[in-house]
Amino acid sequence: MSAQPTIAPAKAAKPELPPVKAVRRSFSSPLASILVVAVTALWTLPTVGLLVTSLRPKADVASTGWWEAFVHPDLGLENYRSVLFDNSFGTSGGLMPYLVNSVAISIPATVFPLVLAAMAAYALAWVRFRGSDALFFVIFALQIVPLQMSLIPLLRLFSGGAHLGSVTVVPALNLKDTYLPVWLTHTMFALPLAIFLLHNFIAQLPRDLMEAAVVDGASHFKIFRSIVLPLSAPALASFAIFQFLWVWNDLLVALTFAGGNPTVAPMTSRLAQLSGSNGSRWELLSAGAFLSMVVPLAVFFALQRFFVRGLLAGSVKG
């Protein structure tokens, strides 16, 4: 018979902080609302200019500013067709293969750490075993390890394996020209932050609910799948936004492990290469840059209702 799952004992509750009513009142005042609208408009203005520039013809971009499009509109999608499918952007077949590579890299590099971190966070929060607190603190401390320090060791590990003298500890993985090195690197460096965020949220789930599930005979997997995952949707979506934006906009890891190989290189790598050779083609560069922004913007707006709730996970109670 399978062992009955046990739930770790509850820790002593800490006194809640008193509400800061004056601060809340000041942030909800009309003046604060006007300030937020003004900052939002200023923050959005460069994006609007980029979009308008990407829709204008080459002659208009070279002669007038983007705001002139509101006076003499002459907009079209020709720049996007050239960027995606024509060879005029410096690459065979346009940027479409690199856009597909970005999607193929970003989705698994978001899902892998999300799944692993959710299981690890549940185990650290609700499963009783010796050394769980020490393990959690070690994982938390791993967040300070810079990504740049590990790029060369990881590259040597993926290409040539690991050796201790004449003994081969890890054989050569032969991962050149594949997505796997990029997936593994992003997953490894996302796990500490993901486990920390999800642990703070999962640890605050109602203890009575967990204990009732154990009394009903539910296993840890059943509790995790049927109770923890649905209730942790805000925290999961919040981390998914962070990780997807980070991977999609990443250039350093892409250059190190994917290089300029069109079979695996993402859009960021190709746009960085083309910014010099096509520096005078502002209409094409603007279209390519805006294409790289569309997907993360869509992901953010689709999951924004979970964003603030996930960010505040573990900071307050009640």
Side-chain angles (χ1 to χ4, degrees):
M1 295 181 64
S2 59
Q4 188 76 357
T6 59
I7 298 299
K11 298 180 180 179
K14 297 181 180 179
E16 297 184 6
L17 296 176
V20 187
K21 296 182 179 180
V23 176
R24 292 181 179 178
R25 190 180 300 113
S26 63
F27 277 107
S28 60
S29 64
L31 180 61
S33 300
I34 294 174
L35 181 61
V36 169
V37 172
V39 171
T40 303
L42 290 175
W43 190 272
T44 309
L45 192 61
T47 304
V48 175
L50 183 69
L51 173 61
V52 173
T53 302
S54 68
L55 296 172
R56 303 180 73 201
K58 178 181 179 180
D60 292 348
V61 172
S63 59
T64 59
W66 63 267
W67 51 87
E68 292 291 335
F70 296 101
V71 181
H72 305 288
D74 184 13
L75 307 178
L77 298 176
E78 181 62 25
N79 294 332
Y80 287 93
R81 187 192 65 80
S82 299
V83 164
L84 284 174
F85 304 110
D86 291 352
N87 298 337
S88 59
F89 203 49
T91 178
S92 177
L95 286 182
M96 180 58 74
Y98 298 91
L99 178 61
V100 174
N101 290 341
S102 290
V103 175
I105 289 173
S106 299
I107 293 179
T110 301
V111 173
F112 292 162
L114 194 65
V115 173
L116 295 175
M119 293 187 291
Y122 170 75
L124 291 171
W126 292 102
V127 179
R128 185 197 306 271
F129 64 93
R130 180 177 298 179
S132 59
D133 290 339
L135 179 60
F136 176 73
F137 285 122
V138 170
I139 294 174
F140 175 77
L142 287 175
Q143 297 182 64
I144 67 173
V145 177
L147 172 64
Q148 294 81 358
M149 288 182 56
S150 304
L151 290 180
I152 301 303
L154 283 176
L155 184 61
R156 296 181 63 181
L157 175 65
F158 293 151
S159 60
H163 307 276
L164 186 60
S166 59
V167 179
T168 300
V169 180
V170 179
L173 302 178
N174 296 322
L175 301 179
K176 185 180 179 181
D177 298 336
T178 65
Y179 296 123
L180 196 55
V182 187
W183 292 344
L184 292 175
T185 303
H186 282 302
T187 299
M188 287 186 289
F189 279 91
L191 280 176
L193 177 61
I195 293 174
F196 174 71
L197 289 177
L198 296 179
H199 174 273
N200 289 348
F201 194 96
I202 294 174
Q204 291 187 12
L205 296 179
R207 172 166 293 276
D208 294 341
L209 184 62
M210 299 292 188
E211 293 177 346
V214 172
V215 171
D216 290 340
S219 62
H220 279 303
F221 178 76
K222 180 70 173 180
I223 295 173
F224 175 74
R225 181 175 59 85
S226 303
I227 298 177
V228 174
L229 286 183
L231 294 178
S232 302
L236 294 171
S238 178
F239 171 74
I241 292 174
F242 273 121
Q243 179 67 1
F244 187 89
L245 294 180
W246 167 260
V247 176
W248 183 273
N249 295 318
D250 169 72
L251 177 61
L252 180 60
V253 175
L255 286 177
T256 304
F257 296 100
N261 190 333
T263 60
V264 294
M267 280 191 65
T268 53
S269 175
R270 188 56 182 163
L271 286 174
Q273 296 173 1
L274 295 174
S275 61
S277 58
N278 290 271
S280 60
R281 303 295 303 274
W282 292 110
E283 75 284 358
L284 296 182
L285 289 174
S286 299
F290 194 80
L291 280 174
S292 69
M293 297 170 54
V294 169
V295 176
L297 282 175
V299 171
F300 178 80
F301 285 119
L303 302 177
Q304 64 174 334
R305 62 194 181 104
F306 299 111
F307 188 64
V308 175
R309 292 167 58 191
L311 281 181
L312 297 178
S315 60
V316 295
K317 290 186 177 181

